[in-house]
Amino acid sequence: MDTEEFVATFAVERSGSDCLKWDALEERFGDKNLLPLWVADMDFKAPPAVEAALIRRIHQGAFGYSQNLPEYFPAFAAWQQSRHGITLAPEWLRFSKGVVESLYHLIQIFTKPGDGVLIQPPVYYPFFNAVRDTGRRLVENHLVQTDEGDWRMDFENFEKLLASEAVRVFLLCSPHNPVGRVWREDELAELFRLCEKYDVLIIADEIHQDFDFSETGFVSALQVAQGRFHDRLVVVNAPSKTFNLASLLHGHILLPDRRLQEQFDEGIKPLSQSENNLLGQTAGAAAYQKGGEWFDGVKQVIRENYRYLEQQLKKTAPKIRVGRLEGSYLVWLDLRQLGLEDGQAVAAFVKKDCRLAVDFGSWFSSATASFIRLNLACPPAIITEACERLAAGVAKLAAE
Ligand SMILES: Cc1ncc(COP(=O)(O)O)c(C=O)c1O
């Protein structure tokens, strides 16, 4: 299915459907008339197989307690195997209400109040919240930018912090939201070697794993050094980003090590006692079984949206530096050359001059207040409009 056909088939009007992205603009941005390119979900319907499976369930009409669906693990495992070459064992898998909830639970289970938890800003802001809200100590190893604008990890500082800050857990974002990096295996292996040296548990958030546009290819933490680090590794992911299912509140925790499984099963007891989510599992199983073609279609739309945006802004607003898209459908724009004073000035420019709602760089790190994150998982017409608005905003700024 080419882009045009995909968009004609799956683009959906979400405004007026209690959708956070479109309907919470007044509440979140103080202006309901902005063009929304913020929160990470898509303006597309989920794969047809998901809709059909949910309708079948809903038509039965009974929503009592359910058991785990027997087809779930085989479908999930087959996807991981065929798309990424990852081999999963059924005993590794636990379900959760989503990746963010998993992070909160895992931090509480595997650390004590006051323990250090290391994150690498700029990073998905719930990483900060998960550490702070659980009373753990935030340890920040900032990513660094090369002269070419690419993002790298600072291994030297990483080790320094592990050695001095009593870090018990490292929260890895892979691929990395918002900078969009797909980490290479050698980069992951170096991090994990250091975690081994200082006896640190790795929690790898791989929710964006399927949106791989990189040259080197996504490598799961589970695959690094052929699984050598499994005894200090927990991976969290979900079908929600891949298939646009976020509101069904369903995610995975993968624990390849027996000792960690036992610790998790004991530790989760006081934190969560809920049964599994029938509709989340139903949707996930159908998506993994039959959503491959749909996913290839949406990935193509994202790729083309990125290409357009990159080329267009180069022509019409060259002061905006467009980040490289390797993993995820979120593009990171560097506005530093516009000379805006601070995060407040960036927000005013984006909202008032460009009429856009985006994720602001200040949400991901105080050091990236002059960046913004745009969501590319939408029809091309929205990206065209966003480019026009950005160019008009920059022109207005230049005229002032
Ligand atoms: C890195 C990362 N982790 C987790 C999530 C959210 O996961 P969930 O909705 O399952 O809590 C997102 C959503 O954008 C994300 O970017």
Side-chain angles (χ1 to χ4, degrees), residues 17-210:
S17 66
D18 302 314
C19 148
L20 190 68
K21 187 182 193 175
W22 290 82
D23 295 331
L25 287 170
E26 177 71 44
E27 180 201 320
R28 298 295 176 104
F29 294 88
D31 186 340
K32 65 177 189 313
N33 294 315
L34 304 176
L35 185 68
L37 293 124
W38 65 296
V39 64
D41 68 14
M42 307 185 188
D43 295 327
F44 296 115
K45 289 186 180 194
V50 168
E51 200 177 317
L54 289 174
I55 287 171
R56 268 198 305 279
R57 285 280 177 200
I58 285 168
H59 277 172
Q60 191 216 0
F63 301 104
Y65 296 116
S66 61
Q67 61 176 9
N68 285 328
L69 307 188
E71 68 270 28
Y72 194 91
F73 179 78
F76 172 45
W79 179 273
Q80 293 292 337
Q81 187 70 58
S82 67
R83 295 272 164 168
H84 303 292
I86 301 169
T87 305
L88 300 178
E91 62 274 16
W92 298 0
L93 177 62
R94 306 291 182 275
F95 292 113
S96 75
K97 301 239 158 21
V99 165
V100 172
E101 187 192 70
S102 304
L103 296 177
Y104 275 72
H105 286 165
L106 291 165
I107 288 172
Q108 290 175 86
I109 292 169
F110 291 107
T111 65
K112 293 192 298 302
D115 280 349
V117 178
L118 188 144
I119 65 171
Q120 303 202 98
V123 72
Y124 182 54
Y125 31 91
F127 278 34
F128 292 85
N129 301 339
V131 179
R132 291 194 185 115
D133 291 346
T134 54
R136 273 56 174 176
R137 198 164 31 81
L138 204 51
V139 180
E140 299 182 31
N141 182 43
H142 286 256
L143 299 180
V144 289
Q145 229 182 345
T146 64
D147 293 340
E148 294 74 44
D150 291 328
W151 293 86
R152 297 270 175 272
M153 296 189 279
D154 183 347
F155 296 108
E156 214 175 296
N157 196 51
F158 186 86
E159 175 158 20
K160 218 184 280 170
L161 292 170
L162 293 196
S164 62
E165 292 290 332
V167 173
R168 298 271 36 99
V169 159
F170 163 44
L171 287 188
L172 168 70
C173 195
S174 175
H176 194 105
N177 173 12
V179 306
R181 272 295 314 274
V182 166
W183 304 117
R184 296 187 314 268
E185 184 172 3
D186 62 296
E187 292 173 297
L188 295 173
E190 177 60 8
L191 288 179
F192 294 3
R193 184 186 69 77
L194 294 170
C195 288
E196 189 173 59
K197 182 170 169 188
Y198 294 93
D199 194 19
V200 168
L201 178 78
I202 302 148
I203 300 176
D205 176 345
E206 298 187 349
I207 196 167
H208 294 284
Q209 68 178 142
D210 293 313

Side-chain angles (χ1 to χ4, degrees), residues 327-348:
S328 87
Y329 51 76
L330 308 163
V331 62
W332 189 228
L333 303 184
D334 179 351
L335 308 188
R336 282 177 297 183
Q337 283 184 44
L338 298 183
L340 298 158
E341 212 167 88
D342 53 18
Q344 250 177 332
V346 170

Side-chain angles (χ1 to χ4, degrees), residues 168-337:
R168 298 271 36 99
V169 159
F170 163 44
L171 287 188
L172 168 70
C173 195
S174 175
H176 194 105
N177 173 12
V179 306
R181 272 295 314 274
V182 166
W183 304 117
R184 296 187 314 268
E185 184 172 3
D186 62 296
E187 292 173 297
L188 295 173
E190 177 60 8
L191 288 179
F192 294 3
R193 184 186 69 77
L194 294 170
C195 288
E196 189 173 59
K197 182 170 169 188
Y198 294 93
D199 194 19
V200 168
L201 178 78
I202 302 148
I203 300 176
D205 176 345
E206 298 187 349
I207 196 167
H208 294 284
Q209 68 178 142
D210 293 313
F211 300 94
D212 179 12
F213 302 100
S214 70
E215 281 167 20
T216 48
F218 169 77
V219 177
S220 169
L222 291 162
Q223 295 166 302
V224 172
Q226 287 153 348
R228 193 184 111 202
F229 300 100
H230 279 189
D231 63 345
R232 60 181 60 260
L233 177 63
V234 185
V235 169
V236 288
N237 63 22
S240 53
K241 288 290 155 224
T242 307
F243 302 108
N244 204 23
L245 308 173
S247 65
L248 292 176
L249 301 183
H250 169 69
H252 311 131
I253 300 172
L254 296 164
L255 302 130
D257 179 73
R258 182 78 173 276
R259 189 181 50 92
L260 294 178
Q261 287 164 20
E262 286 168 5
Q263 232 176 311
F264 177 85
D265 291 340
E266 204 46 41
I268 195 71
K269 286 179 185 169
L271 301 174
S272 173
Q273 284 293 330
S274 59
E275 298 292 330
N276 59 316
N277 179 341
L278 173 66
L279 296 184
Q281 281 198 21
T282 300
Y288 285 128
Q289 281 168 342
K290 296 182 188 149
E293 202 186 324
W294 178 95
F295 178 69
D296 295 336
V298 83
K299 210 172 150 192
Q300 187 59 23
V301 175
I302 293 160
R303 191 194 306 273
E304 289 180 20
N305 279 346
Y306 175 75
R307 255 190 231 136
Y308 175 85
L309 178 122
E310 210 230 342
Q311 286 166 11
Q312 195 62 18
L313 291 184
K314 211 178 267 172
K315 280 189 271 177
T316 61
K319 284 191 172 172
I320 297 180
R321 211 158 157 185
V322 179
R324 198 197 300 268
L325 188 76
E326 289 188 351
S328 87
Y329 51 76
L330 308 163
V331 62
W332 189 228
L333 303 184
D334 179 351
L335 308 188
R336 282 177 297 183
Q337 283 184 44

